[in-house]
Structures are given as C-alpha cells and as structure tokens.
Amino acid sequence: MKVAFHPGCVSKGACPELYVSATKIAGTLGLELQELTEAPCTGAGVLSEQNPDLGDSLNALTLAMAESMGGNLMTICSTCQGVLSSVNHTFEKKPERLEKANKTIADQGYTYKGTTKVKHLLWMLFEDIGVDKLKSVIKRKLTGLKIAPFYGCYILRPSDSLGLKERPERKTYLEQLIELLGAERVDYTGSGKCCGFPMLTFNRDKSLAMGGNHILEAKEKGADAMVTPCPLCHLNLDGQQPDAALAISRPLETPIFHLPQLLGLALGFSPEELRLNHHVVSTKRALEKVELKV
Amino acid sequence: MEAGGSHVLMKFTIEVGRYNPEGTYADDAKQGAPYPAPWASSPPRRYQSYEVDLPEHAVVLDALIEIREYQDESVAVRCACRSAICGSCAMWVNGHAHLACKSKLQEFTKDGKTRVESPPSMPVIRDLVWDMKPFWDNHRRVTPWLENKPLPPPMQEYRVTNEAMEELIQEVTCISCGCCLMDCESFAVNKDFMGPHALAKAYRYAADPRDDETQKRLGEYSQQGGVWDCTHCFECVQQCPKGVEPLEQILKLRRMAVNAGYTHNAGTRHADAFAESVKHSGRLNELTLLPKSVGFFNVLGQLATLPSAFNMIRAGKLPPIIHKTIPGVKRIKAIFDRVGGRFK
Amino acid sequence: MITDHDIVVLGAGLAGMRAALEAARNGTSVAVVTKVHPLRSHSNAAQGGINAAIGEGDTWESHAFDTIKGSDYLADQDAVEIMCREAPADVMEFEHMGVIFYRNAEGKLGTRAFGGASQARTYFVGDITGQALLVTLYDQILKAGVKVYEEWFATSLYMEDGRCRGVVALEMITGELHLLRAKAVINGAGGVGRLYEPSTNALICTGDGYGLAYRAGAPLMDMEMVQYHPTTLAGSGFLMTEAARGEGAYLLNSEGDRFMKTYAPKMVELASRDVVSRSEATEIAAGRGIDGNVLLDLRHLGPEIVLKKLPQVHEMALDYLGLDMLKDPIPVRPGMHYMMGGVKTDANGATQVPGLYAAGEVACVSVHGGNRLGANSLLDTIVFGRHSGKHASEYVKTVPDSKGGERLLKSEQARISDLLARPYTGETHARLRLELATMMDKYVGVYRDEAGLEEALKKQQDLKKRYASVAVGDKGRVYNQALTFALELGYMIDVAETIIRSAILRKESRGAQARTDYPQRNDAEWLKHILVHFRGDKAPEITYLPVTITKWKPEARTY
C-alpha cells in the first residue's frame, strides 16, 4: 500500500528514534512510504493560533502535495494528525478558507481540492492494514509487559474534526493494540490527558507537574512502560521525566515507548534497531520482562 | 408518556459518588479508593448503587431525581431547569465533565452502569454538590463587566454592527456550568490559572466594541494565570455542553494581546521562535525553541532547562546541532510573505 | 447569626437583581438572598425577547393597548402605562450595560414579531434573551459590589411593629439559620411552576415568595390567572419559544391543517397565548391531536433562521425528542408557564405590608391581567424591579434601626428541628407534590368548571392535612435538600389554595380563566380583581379591587 508520509519535525529532530523505528516497521506492515520531504511543519497549532491564514496555507500545501500522490497521507505524530485533520475539517465547513489558502499556494504551483485523507499510523493499523494482517506478522508476543496507553490531546480532541463521532473506536485503538500484541493494558485516568508539552517553554513547572502526574498514576497502577503515538508527548514524558519527578517530588522511572517501537518489538525487531537505547529513561527493565536486552 | 416519549421502561444502574462531611453513609456504600491524582482536591468518596426504571431516552438527571425523590432523599444534587439552560447539574459522568440533564443514560451506560460523582479537581460540599468557589473567583478576576465608552445620546443605542455582536454570542451562550474548568488540565496543576470560562468571558468584554478598556484588559489577561497558562489541550472545547469553545476565545485573546503590543512574555517569544524556525528552515528547530522562548537573557530560566538538555544529549536524543532545512524551503518563505500579518 | 442591612432582596433573577442594583446605586446597603446561584435563576429560561415601543412609527400607547387587550382588560391601565412608557429607556439601559441585542443593517436594535402584538417590537438575543440579560445584570451587581448570599433558603419574613424587617434564611452549605435584618425587604423570588405538572418552569420555581409574603399578611391578587404556553415540548414540557411562531412557524393538527386560521383569522399563530392554548386544547379534545399534542412546524423557515435565531430550541428538540426541526415538525402542547397573579403591589412595588416590596413574576402590579403577552415578562421584571429598588431606598430612610428578631430565629430553628425529627409515616414531599401538581393541571388548567374546581379544593385541603405528616428523609445539616423541598411544598400548598379559591369565585371566562360553565366575559360583574388574604388556620379572606381603567374601555377581543 502506497502512502504519502509526513514524518513531522520532531521525528526528524529531537526524536530520531521515532523516524527510524517507523520506517523500519513499515515494510513488514505492507506500507510503501513516500516521504513528503518538501512538506513544511504543520505549525503545531502555534502558527495558526496567531495567524490562521498562515496555518491554512502551509497545511494546504502539504495536503495538496499528498493529494497529487494519491490522497492518502500518513502521520506518526498526534499533533500533526490533529492539525492536519482540523485544517481539513475547516476547509470542508468553510470553503472560503480553502479558496483563500489556494490563492496563496497557487504561486507555488499547487492547488488543494480537499480530498486528502489524513491518517495516523495508529488508525491505519486498524482501518487499512487490519487486525488479521497484524496478527499474521506478529512474531513475538509481549506477554507479561504492562503497558499504559497515552494518546496525546490532538488525536482525541476536538473530536469533530478527528471523525471520532463516526468512528468512536479510534479512542480505544491503543488499548486494543496493546492487547493484540499480547501485553497487558493498564487502565488509568490520564491516558487521554495533556502531557504538558505545549506549556513547557513558558510554564515549565506546571508543564512538568502535568506530565509527571500522569506517569505517576500509570506507574502506581502497575505500568512497566507507557506507549504514545505522539513525539511531543514523548519529549515531555521521556525527555523531561527526571525533571518531572523533581517537580512532583516522586520517583517515576517509567520508560516511554513510541508506538512503532512497541509494535516493532512484537514484529521481531531488536531493541537496537528500534533505537530503544536512545531514551532518557532506560527501557532496560521493561525489556527484560519480555526477555530482551538493550 | 406522550408522543415522542415511549412506554418502554428500561432498568438503569447508577453508581453515585457519595461524600458527606458529617460522615453518615448507607451500609451498602462501598468505600472508594482515594483518587490517585496528586492534584485531587476532593476527599475519597463512597460509591452507592441505585437501580431505576426509566424510559429509554431518559437522561442521567432523570435518574438522579428519581433516586432523590423516591429512593434516597439524602442524595444531594443541584439541578433546576432540566434542559441545559441553567448550568446547575454539571458533574463527572463516567470520569468526564457533563451536564447530567444532557447525558443520555443509554449512551453513558458502561459495563452495565453509569457512574456519577463530583469532579476530583474541585472541592466538594456533599455528594454531587461541589464547591464552585474557584469558578466564581476566577469569573470575578477578569473584570467581567462593560467599562463603557462614552454613552450614546439619551434613548439611543451604541451603533455597532450585528456581526460585532454575533462575534460575542458564542460566549454569551455560556451557562457557567463549570464543565470546562472541572476538566481543565492546566487548572488541575495550576490553581492560579483563570480557567477557560473566565478567559472566554474576558474575550467577550475585551472584544466588545462598546468597551473602553480593551487595552488595559489585554495587559491583565497576559499576566501570569492568564491566556498563556492555557495548555491548548481542547478539553474545554470537548466538554462544553453549549458550544462555547473556550479555547477558541482564549486564542482570539492571545492574538488581540499580541497585536496590542503585549509581547514581553514567554508565550509570544515561543510563537515567534517557532515561526522563525519554520520560515527559514521549513520545520521546527527544537534546539533554539527553548532558549528563545525562555529569553536569552533570562539566565535562571535558561539554567532550569539545563538538566533536561544534558539528559537528552546523553541519550543521543537532541536534534542535530546544525539544523537542516527542508528542500524547497523557498516556497515556505514565499507563503509567509504572501500571507503577511503576524510572523511576516 | 444576625446580620444587618438596609435592604434585603429575596431572589436573584432579573427582578431581584435589578432591584438590588437600583438600591445600591441609591447608596443603601443591600444584600441579595437566593436559594440558588444568581445565574441559575429561572429568568435565564426566557427565550424570545423583551418588548419596547422604540421603533419608528411605534408608540407606547400601541404597546399599552396590545398589553391591555392581551390582558382581557383585567390589567390596571395606569400600571401598564408606566411599563410601556418606560420600556424604551430600560431596554436601552440594558444595551448600555452590555447586552448584545440583535442589530439591523444600520447597526440599531432590530426586532422580531411576537404574539398579540400589533407591531414587531420585541428586542432579542437569539433565543437566549433572558440568559443574556441575566448574565449582564449579574456582572453589573458584581461591579456595584452587591452582597449576595448564595444558596440561602428563606424560611420566614421577620415582622416587627407591623413592618417587614428582614428574612430568616437557612445557609444550605452549613445548615445554619440566620436572620438578615433590614429596613425593607424586596421580594423577587419568582414563580410557582412546580405547582403544575407538567410545567415549563425549573424545579426551583416553588412559589416561596408567594408563600412568605402571603403568610406575612400581604394579599395575593389575580391568582386564578395561570398562563399556559401554547408550545411546550411533548413529554418533558420544556419551553419552545413563541419566537418560533414570531419567525413564522405554523401550528398543525393531525390533519395537517393550520387550525389557528379558524380561531384567529387575522393573527393566526400569533394570537395571544390564552387564545392559542385554548384552540390547541379544543383541537386535541376534538380528536385532531397527535397523542395529546399538536405540531409546531418550522421546516419552511430554513436553516438560516432556525440555526441562527432559534438555535437553543433546535438543540432541545434534538436532545430530548431526537427530532430535527429542519426536517421534522415538533409535537407540542399547552403547558403551564407563568403566573399573571401574585403579591399585590402598587406601581412602586410596595405591597400592603409596610416595608415589603415585590417585583417580577411573584408580584402583581397588575400589568398582565388575565393573560400576559409574550416578551412582556422580562420587561415587567426590569421596570418594576427598578421601581421597587428605588422606592425601597427612599422608604428605608424613614425607618429606625431594629435590635429584635432573636425570638423568631429561635422559633424557626425549633420549627425546623421538629420537621427533621418527625417520624416517617410514608408521606414524602415528592409524592405529595406530584399529586398536587397533576391535580392542578387536571382541574385548574386551560379549561375549568365548577365541579372540577370544587374537587380541586377538596383535594388541596386533604393534601394540606397530609402535609402535616410529611417526614424529611435526610437528617443531616449540610446541604439538606429534602428539608428545603419539604418547606417549599408548604408554600406550594398555600399558593394552590389561593388559585383554586379565586378560580371558583370568578364566574366568567376572561384571559387564562376559561370556565366552560361560564363561557362569556362578564364585565358588569367581574371587571375586578380578586384578592386573597391569609387568615391562619381559618379559610382565607377574599376582598375585591376595581380594575383601573384610564384610556381604553373594554371591548370585544378578537385576533
């Protein structure tokens, strides 16, 4: 299956292990990734909040690029997913905004007709690849590993633009996947909450407390590790975890897996191939539970 | 029941989170675990189950009224209009903020029951009656009244366009139920945050063409606890039962504040650094984002981020020191220029 | 605890808060006592708008005539004149306070049509006009620094030397009883919809203000005049604003006919509320209803009008019946909505008890007479709320300080303790309330007759006896709602008696009083108000007052 692929800035920046693991497992899943190397950052909501027209235009460009490649666009980042979904939703509801954006990108030789479907890898697993196919490629059950899911805001909210009314099951894909891979899912209240990343640069303490609280809750409910489909959440939950622990004065030490890393382990890739040795919080103890070493 | 209703009664199970400061509980009220979150303001409650027979389209509030009137008069719950107008019956239904009068029992029945309780991030008075003091205190903080421009001549209205009034109506539909605040993730960790409802109200007055203090307001709302303390998580948009979309109002306030010159804050620096990076390289440069947001001359702020940076470097996680630009970045610059406005 | 203020206002809806604001502006120390937070008050349910003769070519006389004709000539014309003359200034004042009224193309206030009005003079904010006014007024009392005692439930008025000198109230959060001593009390405690089942009113509309004033010696007037709103949602009884018809909606019977053409050839769906409600009841009784309802049809209005001007009722029909107004006609029926009658006041808001003022639905000035026009109730609250605040502020200057009230506080405490200690006998406030309210709807509803009303009185007397054995199923102090519900029921039973007795006495059909045994209006004998006075354990005493007629002689009423 050919898909246009928008890896997002963070997977090519501060979370290279996400990019590496995602591209590594794609083949096994039957995905032929055509990377949009010339697509810009989605703006993560920051650009559009201050300049909606700019957000519209930059994303119309990306959507138009994907449209010309067949119209199926895959993301590996909840934030990219959220921004692109909401831009698509806005264009659908307010055609005048699409028209305006098209005027801007016309200079660059692009027009967006409005047909691109944007899907996160997580959604594609269930909606395009399918559970049967997944089952057939799983080589190693992650039995004994307790995993807490952590979605990231923008793959859940606002639900209107993410199609969650039509497909409410999208809210439970992570849990379903954890079980499908043979791991044990940990239910806790924080799975759909905010990691705190959007506030990290300007409200550091609160941001750390926010993420820290969710990790603590998952840990206290027995999680060996958490899994997230969002590299921005990963930056806060893994990259800032030692500071988060200080912020809430509680030890945390809970490794955070990227979605393709967890999946990749079940598909038989080694922790090194998935760059599980490039985390701030060591994944060692969690991996030992499934008799793997880094 | 009349037309539109139904004669079919269904059995529903409601689990009510009970809390009674006087300490009296029914024998069958199960002791609940203390809420795990360290920010929880409410004490542990007990859960008591009730069964009610109601029409299939009944809402959670119907069940609670039925319980309170015919099964257990000691269940305390605020309610008045029953039709999502008065804002009294906001509570947690299955772990999220909802109006009980707008929550269909069938939709909310999970594993054979519906659980209702007061929101853990708020102080509780009794059972489902929670203390709205934080909500009203924040409401008052935003100067929630018109500071009039010079009045029009006697018996005349201010001449403003209907569009200008319609711009405010989204906030005016707010029924002050508190759903946004009780699920607000920033407020949960930051009691100094004004919260979505109050900032939406702030926008309503700041954007009113009849108000004379817009500039001053924007200054106040840009302070600590104001628009920049929102984490942009969309919970308030998701949980608002009236479509107020508080986050959208907050974002409008941010734009207004920046345009009005209130740019000496980390939020604005963050946005500027973000935009600059995207404009010149097509993508985000995490390496410069943080220091630029904190402010290069904010030595303490810079130092505070050092341990994390060190950890990330050690893990091989930090982005390449030489930030790569995407191919075709000229296009991006051109779009920035063409759109104009902020970030040009 | 005892606290002193110049003025205590009971209720924080539009009338109460407007009175408080006026009193504060006049430099008096004013406090508001309300059993719910001000923004929960039922004023927020007023959807359609507020009337004022502002537009070019409109006159206050035209507004007054429509109001008087709508009242079936029972309104006091001097009071109507004050309301209609002052309406434009009061509406403008709310605009200046920040209400975001709908504007026309010139940027001036725009109007919509409403029932019983010869001109479009209803000013509005979508279909949330009451809420928009209430929120703005609440913000204004915050600005003015008015003290508000939220979630305090009034149990009694404090009388001293024949004057009303305060309110005893239960602080619900602690269960503590307080005396709020004052030189004047303004009663803006709202309506008594819960006396009827179903009703458009909120659960908090339990007539506390009527009961408190009545027991303190203030007579209730025009109590037989109970308005049934023509369009309340099937099943739940929620209000579907008259603005729907104002914007052009049709009423259809089971045969798909716009039956109002028969009953009101000129105004059709926009005849006054009593006329439309009776027509619907007649259609339903004749077998042309659909499960006891008729249909409200908005389909021809299109999404632009429905979604922009009537979004709230569109959402309600969707939420509570699963019907989309854009595609489906909505089943509606007449439902109890408003009390024209209330505590008798003069145009200053003064009742017959010195020191006690009243305004809003609980009061009867009387500007609504036998039938209130849509969008006149919001107007009533803000005009007479303002008057009562102003006059009470003058009055308090003549009143000396008080040191009394301890005894009342103790006896009220004892009354509550007794009520809490009462053993369970099987009578509950909920069952009694339901019996009372369904009985009222059955016998004292749209159509009435002698036999039914006598039956109603008998049942009411019986319920009054049984009320003495109602026990409270919650013994705690903190937020004991069972206790306040039991107290509210006491108020409602008293109010029921005044309604039934007045309806029995008025042997004619006028406005909301439609007697099948006396189908004609009888100006010779009944162009007068009925006043009911509390006489303790004895039957209430009845007196009469002539209707004030100034410019408009009673004539036949057709729409």
Side-chain angles (χ1 to χ4, degrees), chain B residues 60-113:
Chain B
V60 169
L61 185 63
D62 293 331
L64 291 170
I65 291 174
E66 178 77 12
I67 291 164
R68 188 175 72 176
E69 296 202 331
Y70 298 107
Q71 295 189 26
D72 184 350
E73 287 188 15
S74 74
V75 175
V77 51
R78 287 193 187 104
C79 55
C81 75
R82 294 163 296 148
S83 52
I85 292 171
C86 76
S88 301
C89 66
M91 60 184 68
W92 253 28
V93 183
N94 291 348
H96 273 289
H98 294 281
L99 289 181
C101 69
K102 224 179 148 118
S103 306
K104 291 240 185 334
L105 277 165
Q106 271 195 322
E107 260 171 57
F108 280 87
T109 298
K110 220 176 115 190
D111 304 326
K113 67 181 184 202

Side-chain angles (χ1 to χ4, degrees), chain C residues 48 173 190 254 473:
Chain C
I173 288 175
S254 62

Side-chain angles (χ1 to χ4, degrees), chain B residues 1-5 20-22 24 57 59 61 65 68-70 72-88 101-102 104 125-126 129 131-132 135-136 139-140 144-148 151-162 165-166 168-178 201 204-205 208 210 241-242, chain C residues 37 39-40 42 44-45 47 88-89 92 95-104 106-109 125-126 128 131-132 135-136 138-140 142-143 150-151 173 194 197 199-204 234-236 238 290-293 308 312 315-316 318-321 331 333 428-431 434 471-474 476-482 485:
Chain B
M1 295 306 289
E2 311 295 326
N20 184 344
E22 294 167 284
T24 47
H57 62 268
V59 292
L61 185 63
I65 291 174
R68 188 175 72 176
E69 296 202 331
Y70 298 107
D72 184 350
E73 287 188 15
S74 74
V75 175
V77 51
R78 287 193 187 104
C79 55
C81 75
R82 294 163 296 148
S83 52
I85 292 171
C86 76
S88 301
C101 69
K102 224 179 148 118
K104 291 240 185 334
I125 292 164
R126 177 171 176 181
V129 176
D131 189 351
M132 288 196 73
F135 183 93
W136 301 120
H139 176 104
R140 272 189 292 271
W145 49 74
L146 202 63
E147 297 285 9
N148 290 73
L151 287 175
M155 296 306 294
Q156 284 187 35
E157 61 278 72
Y158 285 99
R159 290 289 188 94
V160 294
T161 63
N162 193 48
M165 295 289 99
E166 280 190 351
L168 310 179
I169 203 167
Q170 195 176 16
E171 192 287 327
V172 173
T173 59
C174 169
I175 54 173
S176 301
C177 61
K201 176 74 70 187
R204 177 251 175 277
Y205 283 112
D208 193 315
R210 300 165 294 181
K242 300 302 279 188
Chain C
H37 185 277
L39 292 184
R40 313 295 178 225
H42 196 54
N44 63 9
Q47 296 168 342
M92 282 304 171
E95 194 280 323
H96 297 161
M97 287 181 195
V99 175
I100 56 160
F101 284 113
Y102 169 76
R103 311 275 164 156
N104 61 21
E106 299 161 64
K108 296 167 92 171
L109 302 190
V125 181
I128 56 166
Q131 182 186 326
V135 171
T136 304
Y138 174 63
D139 288 347
Q140 291 292 318
L142 290 180
K143 186 180 184 179
E150 283 159 29
E151 302 194 314
I173 288 175
R194 283 286 277 167
E197 186 72 47
S199 159
T200 61
N201 286 199
L203 303 181
I204 53 173
S236 57
F238 297 146
I290 301 105
D291 292 332
N293 300 288
K308 272 229 161 131
Q312 182 170 281
E315 182 185 307
M316 275 163 72
L318 210 54
D319 277 354
Y320 299 105
L321 286 184
R333 63 171 167 183
T428 68
H429 64 79
R431 285 198 189 89
L434 189 61
V472 175
D474 178 13
R477 293 177 68 81
V478 175
Y479 223 85
N480 187 336
Q481 294 178 307
F485 293 158

Side-chain angles (χ1 to χ4, degrees), chain A residues 40-56 58-59 83, chain B residues 232 255 270-279 282 332 336 342-343:
Chain A
C41 170
T42 63
V46 177
L47 299 185
S48 54
E49 94 173 39
Q50 302 258 327
N51 189 339
D53 288 339
L54 181 62
D56 282 1
L58 290 176
N59 289 301
V83 174
Chain B
H232 206 292
R255 284 202 283 278
H270 172 80
D272 283 334
F274 201 120
E276 198 184 302
S277 166
V278 176
K279 185 177 179 182
I332 310 306
F336 268 79
R342 178 131 153 79
F343 304 133

Side-chain angles (χ1 to χ4, degrees), chain A residues 32-215:
Chain A
E32 192 183 320
L33 303 182
Q34 298 177 305
E35 189 172 329
L36 296 176
T37 51
E38 300 190 5
C41 170
T42 63
V46 177
L47 299 185
S48 54
E49 94 173 39
Q50 302 258 327
N51 189 339
D53 288 339
L54 181 62
D56 282 1
S57 303
L58 290 176
N59 289 301
L61 180 68
T62 303
L63 290 164
M65 287 172 172
E67 196 170 50
S68 68
M69 291 163 70
N72 288 319
L73 176 59
M74 185 179 97
T75 64
I76 49 172
C77 167
S78 294
T79 305
C80 293
Q81 180 63 42
V83 174
L84 288 166
S85 290
S86 85
V87 169
N88 244 348
H89 188 67
T90 304
F91 287 165
E92 198 184 320
K93 278 204 316 195
K94 298 178 180 162
E96 68 276 8
R97 295 260 301 258
L98 173 58
E99 209 175 304
K100 202 170 173 192
N102 268 332
K103 277 194 189 133
T104 310
I105 62 170
D107 294 353
Q108 313 306 323
Y110 283 92
T111 311
Y112 178 46
K113 294 200 277 291
T115 63
T116 298
K117 304 237 174 325
V118 188
K119 282 194 182 180
H120 192 285
L121 167 67
L122 178 64
W123 297 353
M124 294 197 67
L125 291 176
F126 289 89
E127 295 166 16
D128 299 279
I129 295 162
V131 170
D132 292 340
K133 162 87 180 173
L134 268 179
K135 280 183 182 158
S136 74
V137 291
I138 292 175
K139 291 205 181 115
R140 179 197 289 148
K141 285 273 182 185
L142 305 178
T143 315
L145 202 57
K146 291 184 181 163
I147 305 281
F150 193 90
Y151 282 88
C153 299
Y154 307 132
I155 201 168
L156 295 176
R157 292 179 296 272
S159 57
D160 282 357
S161 57
L162 291 160
L164 299 189
K165 282 214 177 97
E166 301 75 29
R167 289 182 177 271
E169 63 276 14
R170 281 182 177 169
K171 289 182 272 188
T172 60
Y173 283 163
L174 272 183
E175 285 86 343
Q176 290 182 48
L177 183 71
I178 290 166
E179 290 184 344
L180 198 69
L181 304 183
E184 189 180 326
R185 74 168 217 245
V186 175
D187 288 335
Y188 69 119
T189 63
S191 66
K193 295 197 170 153
C194 178
C195 68
F197 182 80
M199 289 202 305
L200 180 66
T201 61
F202 48 87
N203 209 337
R204 186 172 171 80
D205 292 349
K206 307 301 181 201
S207 165
L208 293 175
M210 208 180 269
N213 283 331
H214 303 319
I215 302 170

Side-chain angles (χ1 to χ4, degrees), chain B residues 13-327:
Chain B
T13 303
I14 313 293
E15 200 171 66
V16 181
R18 309 289 311 264
Y19 168 75
N20 184 344
E22 294 167 284
T24 47
Y25 292 97
D27 293 340
D28 56 344
K30 291 185 300 253
Q31 176 74 54
Y35 189 76
W39 65 80
S41 302
S42 64
R45 66 282 315 272
R46 300 195 190 209
Y47 293 95
Q48 198 170 347
S49 279
Y50 300 90
E51 278 198 350
V52 287
D53 293 311
L54 285 169
E56 53 186 352
H57 62 268
V59 292
V60 169
L61 185 63
D62 293 331
L64 291 170
I65 291 174
E66 178 77 12
I67 291 164
R68 188 175 72 176
E69 296 202 331
Y70 298 107
Q71 295 189 26
D72 184 350
E73 287 188 15
S74 74
V75 175
V77 51
R78 287 193 187 104
C79 55
C81 75
R82 294 163 296 148
S83 52
I85 292 171
C86 76
S88 301
C89 66
M91 60 184 68
W92 253 28
V93 183
N94 291 348
H96 273 289
H98 294 281
L99 289 181
C101 69
K102 224 179 148 118
S103 306
K104 291 240 185 334
L105 277 165
Q106 271 195 322
E107 260 171 57
F108 280 87
T109 298
K110 220 176 115 190
D111 304 326
K113 67 181 184 202
T114 305
R115 178 183 267 199
V116 295
E117 58 204 306
S118 70
S121 60
M122 297 288 170
V124 58
I125 292 164
R126 177 171 176 181
D127 298 342
L128 304 168
V129 176
W130 53 284
D131 189 351
M132 288 196 73
K133 189 170 182 302
F135 183 93
W136 301 120
D137 285 351
N138 280 321
H139 176 104
R140 272 189 292 271
R141 273 171 77 190
V142 300
T143 322
W145 49 74
L146 202 63
E147 297 285 9
N148 290 73
K149 279 187 178 154
L151 287 175
M155 296 306 294
Q156 284 187 35
E157 61 278 72
Y158 285 99
R159 290 289 188 94
V160 294
T161 63
N162 193 48
E163 289 67 39
M165 295 289 99
E166 280 190 351
E167 173 58 31
L168 310 179
I169 203 167
Q170 195 176 16
E171 192 287 327
V172 173
T173 59
C174 169
I175 54 173
S176 301
C177 61
C179 279
C180 58
L181 190 66
M182 68 166 88
D183 274 13
C184 173
E185 306 214 5
S186 287
F187 181 74
V189 294
N190 179 6
K191 299 297 179 205
D192 184 43
F193 181 43
M194 290 171 174
H197 69 294
L199 288 169
K201 176 74 70 187
Y203 172 73
R204 177 251 175 277
Y205 283 112
D208 193 315
R210 300 165 294 181
D211 193 84
D212 208 24
E213 301 269 335
T214 303
Q215 187 72 13
K216 187 168 157 238
R217 287 177 187 277
L218 294 172
E220 283 165 15
Y221 308 151
S222 300
Q223 303 286 315
Q224 216 171 15
V227 289
W228 298 106
D229 280 18
C230 160
T231 188
H232 206 292
C233 70
F234 283 104
E235 277 287 2
C236 57
V237 174
Q238 193 70 37
Q239 300 311 129
C240 174
K242 300 302 279 188
V244 174
E245 300 190 318
L247 174 61
E248 298 298 333
Q249 318 308 322
I250 295 174
L251 298 186
K252 287 189 238 173
L253 266 186
R254 284 186 182 177
R255 284 202 283 278
M256 285 176 79
V258 169
N259 290 337
Y262 293 102
T263 52
H264 297 290
N265 51 62
T268 310
R269 282 193 294 270
H270 172 80
D272 283 334
F274 201 120
E276 198 184 302
S277 166
V278 176
K279 185 177 179 182
H280 296 293
S281 68
R283 54 190 205 85
L284 178 62
N285 183 354
E286 300 96 328
L287 199 61
T288 56
L289 187 60
L290 196 60
K292 281 189 182 166
S293 305
V294 174
F296 278 115
F297 301 105
N298 177 358
V299 178
L300 280 178
Q302 296 283 5
L303 283 177
T305 66
L306 277 181
S308 289
F310 177 71
N311 285 328
M312 288 174 69
I313 291 166
R314 204 178 49 183
K317 260 187 72 106
L318 263 198
I321 301 292
I322 302 162
H323 182 66
K324 276 197 211 143
T325 55
I326 62 168

Side-chain angles (χ1 to χ4, degrees), chain C residues 259-534:
Chain C
F259 57 85
M260 283 311 298
K261 283 183 174 170
T262 324
Y263 300 94
K266 267 194 288 176
M267 307 273 292
V268 205
E269 280 87 359
L270 284 178
S272 73
R273 287 178 177 175
D274 57 330
V275 174
V276 182
S277 284
R278 271 196 298 280
S279 309
E280 290 177 4
T282 307
E283 287 292 304
I284 293 165
R288 292 188 292 274
I290 301 105
D291 292 332
N293 300 288
V294 296
L295 297 172
L296 179 67
D297 188 355
L298 286 83
R299 289 173 296 180
H300 55 287
L301 298 181
E304 184 62 20
I305 287 182
V306 174
L307 299 180
K308 272 229 161 131
K309 291 188 166 173
L310 304 164
Q312 182 170 281
V313 292
H314 174 259
E315 182 185 307
M316 275 163 72
L318 210 54
D319 277 354
Y320 299 105
L321 286 184
L323 294 175
D324 181 355
M325 285 180 164
L326 297 172
K327 294 186 207 125
D328 315 295
I330 305 299
V332 294
R333 63 171 167 183
M336 190 278 180
H337 181 57
Y338 185 84
M339 295 291 294
M340 271 71 74
V343 183
K344 160 67 183 156
T345 72
D346 62 18
N348 296 335
T351 70
Q352 295 185 1
V353 170
L356 180 61
Y357 291 75
E361 186 171 350
V362 72
C364 182
V365 187
S366 85
V367 287
H368 307 306
N371 172 67
R372 174 176 68 79
L373 290 193
N376 264 355
S377 65
L378 291 182
L379 182 60
D380 174 15
T381 62
I382 66 172
V383 170
F384 293 106
R386 174 171 54 77
H387 277 284
S388 57
K390 179 160 181 281
H391 286 273
S393 307
E394 292 298 317
Y395 168 81
V396 296
K397 292 180 189 156
T398 68
V399 182
D401 287 340
S402 163
K403 295 268 175 262
E406 291 273 0
R407 219 161 30 153
L408 176 67
L409 196 53
K410 284 214 178 83
S411 70
E412 283 295 284
Q413 189 63 67
R415 183 164 76 100
I416 286 168
S417 301
D418 289 352
L419 183 54
L420 285 172
R422 206 181 275 169
Y424 182 74
T425 58
E427 295 289 14
T428 68
H429 64 79
R431 285 198 189 89
L432 246 58
R433 207 277 319 171
L434 189 61
E435 273 188 55
L436 175 67
T438 43
M439 178 279 279
M440 291 297 285
D441 185 56
K442 184 173 173 191
Y443 297 118
V444 205
V446 175
Y447 285 112
R448 304 157 177 188
D449 64 26
E450 188 88 28
L453 291 169
E454 287 297 344
E455 177 65 24
L457 185 61
K458 219 175 85 193
K459 285 222 67 161
Q460 184 272 340
Q461 294 291 317
D462 177 49
L463 288 166
K464 193 172 175 176
K465 280 196 204 98
R466 287 165 58 193
Y467 175 66
S469 61
V470 164
V472 175
D474 178 13
K475 307 298 179 194
R477 293 177 68 81
V478 175
Y479 223 85
N480 187 336
Q481 294 178 307
L483 172 64
T484 55
F485 293 158
L487 292 168
E488 287 170 350
L489 180 60
Y491 297 137
M492 282 190 274
I493 289 175
D494 282 358
V495 179
E497 180 164 2
T498 66
I499 295 174
I500 300 166
R501 285 193 189 273
S502 305
I504 292 173
L505 284 172
R506 184 173 289 280
K507 293 185 172 37
E508 65 158 350
S509 288
R510 178 188 301 272
Q513 163 92 339
R515 290 277 300 252
T516 52
D517 43 357
Y518 300 96
Q520 299 304 317
R521 193 172 85 192
N522 180 351
D523 287 341
E525 284 179 73
W526 286 104
L527 192 60
K528 61 185 176 188
H529 300 290
I530 300 172
L531 282 80
V532 190
H533 305 253
F534 181 67

